[in-house]
Amino acid sequence: AAPRAAVGWCGEAVPSWAFFVKWDDGRVPFEWEGAKGEAYCRVVGDRAREAKAGVPPILLVGTPGLGYDYLENLEALTVSDRRVVEVVFAGTNGAASAPLLTADACAAQLGAVVRSLGVQKVSLVAHGLGAVPALRMLERQPTLVSSLSLLSPYGSLADLRP
């Protein structure tokens, strides 16, 4: 099931700004340790402008288990000619088993999202507990990451160990 409407935009299913910006919602299949699932993502921005500017898209990583509603204001980063991609991890709304919300499983989902974009690299921006899967992705799939920004990162050293 798709995440609920964003309360940050007055609960509208499609907020008014969406009529002036290119965007798409979709699902990205992935596999991790034999388990299959789908990550849900929203891509905001224009791929052609991004290619012309020669910049990678921004992949926003929020806290596993939460939707991306609280990160929607960061869609304004599209003014940098980059697409902004927000991810809702499989298992967020009870749509998959809890093991798909581990740091490793979430990192696998991020890798699948990047490959689905058809780009070489992304700039990762992670918030809160999203820092842990972002760091795991950087550790396990470094060729997919051009930069990493951590916003109020949260986790423990145990979260960062394999």
Side-chain angles (χ1 to χ4, degrees):
R4 61 181 175 70
V7 292
W9 296 106
C10 301
E12 298 172 84
V14 179
S16 58
W17 60 261
F19 296 101
F20 305 100
V21 176
K22 288 186 178 190
W23 65 280
D24 188 29
D25 283 344
R27 298 181 187 282
V28 178
F30 73 95
E31 188 171 334
W32 180 76
E33 291 190 351
K36 294 182 180 184
E38 291 182 322
Y40 181 85
C41 67
R42 173 179 291 164
V43 180
V44 180
D46 188 331
R47 182 182 182 125
R49 284 180 54 191
E50 181 180 274
K52 185 177 178 183
V55 293
I58 295 170
L59 182 59
L60 291 177
V61 184
T63 297
L66 294 179
Y68 54 70
D69 321 352
Y70 77 102
L71 296 172
E72 280 186 332
N73 58 345
L74 294 175
E75 291 172 356
L77 293 169
T78 59
V79 299
S80 66
D81 290 332
R82 300 166 186 257
R83 288 178 292 165
V84 174
V85 183
E86 298 148 304
V87 178
V88 175
F89 294 109
T92 294
N93 291 321
S97 62
L100 293 180
L101 286 174
T102 65
D104 290 328
C106 290
Q109 292 176 60
L110 295 175
V113 169
V114 172
R115 287 186 290 282
S116 78
L117 295 172
V119 297
Q120 300 274 324
K121 294 179 178 271
V122 294
S123 294
L124 273 176
V125 176
H127 176 259
L129 288 169
V132 178
L135 287 165
R136 282 286 166 83
M137 181 181 169
L138 179 62
E139 174 189 22
R140 301 221 164 105
Q141 303 174 75
T143 59
L144 297 179
V145 180
S146 66
S147 66
L148 172 63
S149 298
L150 301 176
L151 311 174
S152 299
Y154 184 83
S156 70
L157 289 177
D159 292 329
L160 304 177
R161 292 188 184 116

